[in-house]
Amino acid sequence: SIPVTLGDGCDYVTIASMAINTNDCFVALNSVRIGGGQEYYLNGLDSGSEENDELCANIPGPACGESPGNGKAPGEGAVHVHRGFHGIGGDLSAAGYDWRNPMARVYVEEA
């Protein structure tokens, strides 16, 4: 849970965050008019910028320790709904890192 305080005149919100321990997964909510009591469920999206090889050599994040991450293997070339984490690279297990959509919940309430 991350509380965010908005000032007067802030009628829209945009959120973007990379999913750690993935090649190129992220969640986003773009330019949504806000008001109290709104709830949004965000799917994990694949940015299409690199191959989903699930190898620590290409994944930034704490699970891969000192790995530099981001080897930039060519990707799909288009944003699409992410398929999850399946442990195909052998470095990290699906049991520990997989998810099913939605990946994030955003709830807006008035303070």
Side-chain angles (χ1 to χ4, degrees):
S1 178
I2 302 170
V4 177
T5 303
L6 303 175
D8 291 337
C10 295
D11 298 326
Y12 294 87
V13 66
T14 295
I15 299 168
S17 179
M18 181 178 179
I20 59 170
N21 302 321
T22 69
N23 291 97
D24 60 353
C25 180
F26 69 101
V27 294
L29 183 68
N30 189 20
S31 196
V32 173
R33 187 171 183 87
I34 56 173
Q38 293 172 305
E39 188 170 41
Y40 300 94
Y41 290 90
L42 310 180
N43 284 334
L45 300 173
D46 188 319
S47 71
S49 63
E50 58 186 86
E51 180 182 357
N52 295 320
D53 59 14
E54 300 180 5
L55 295 170
C56 276
N58 299 322
I59 296 176
C64 290
E66 297 298 318
S67 171
N70 206 353
K72 296 270 185 189
E76 301 84 358
V79 174
H80 59 278
V81 175
H82 205 288
R83 62 181 171 77
F85 195 96
H86 298 278
I88 61 172
D91 293 336
L92 303 174
S93 72
Y97 295 95
D98 193 24
W99 72 89
R100 292 293 172 250
N101 284 314
M103 187 176 216
R105 175 181 165 256
V106 175
Y107 181 74
V108 179
E109 64 182 23
E110 294 190 32

